[in-house]
Amino acid sequence: MNEQQLKNLLGLAQRARLLVSGNFAVEEALKAGQVQAIILTTDASTKTAEQFEKISVEKSLPLFRALTKETLGQCLGKDSRAVAAVLDAGFLKSIEKLSIPKNN
């Protein structure tokens, strides 16, 4: 995986408002049925990881493990974040092409 390409892609999705980040924002997008995929950082807490892994299975959403909390936050222009959600199928396809480790 090219980490820089992923960071660029996520930053672009953020600027296009096709990505939300942080536990609360991702949960709200999930409730609204807007999420195409979940991105979970490699250093997310066990509780957070289990929570979003369970949700991804229940809702049949792809879940990718990539970046650190600090790196994810930086590429989005925010504080550190453990989770983000992609809201657009086109961005999901681009992420899938990067060969990021996927949980399901």
Side-chain angles (χ1 to χ4, degrees):
M1 163 186 78
N2 184 329
E3 185 175 297
Q4 187 59 49
Q5 286 178 320
L6 176 61
K7 292 189 312 188
N8 292 343
L9 188 62
L10 294 177
L12 183 61
Q14 171 72 26
R15 287 188 299 280
R17 294 192 172 125
L18 298 173
L19 180 136
V20 294
S21 62
N23 289 17
F24 180 76
V26 172
E27 288 172 4
E28 290 298 307
L30 284 162
K31 287 177 189 174
Q34 300 172 317
V35 176
Q36 297 290 317
I38 298 170
I39 308 233
L40 188 62
T41 60
T42 56
D43 60 347
S45 71
T46 303
K47 180 181 175 185
T48 299
E50 288 173 355
Q51 174 188 1
F52 286 101
E53 287 168 356
K54 181 180 176 187
I55 290 169
S56 75
V57 170
E58 289 173 354
K59 296 191 177 274
S60 298
L61 293 170
L63 183 138
F64 299 94
R65 296 299 301 255
L67 309 175
T68 63
K69 292 187 282 191
E70 189 68 32
T71 303
L72 178 60
Q74 285 175 348
C75 76
L76 301 178
K78 305 206 179 256
D79 292 331
S80 66
R81 305 290 163 123
V83 65
V86 177
L87 307 180
D88 179 73
F91 277 105
L92 171 57
K93 288 179 186 177
S94 296
I95 291 169
E96 289 174 328
K97 290 178 185 176
L98 296 177
S99 301
I100 300 167
K102 193 191 242 185
N103 275 15
N104 55 345

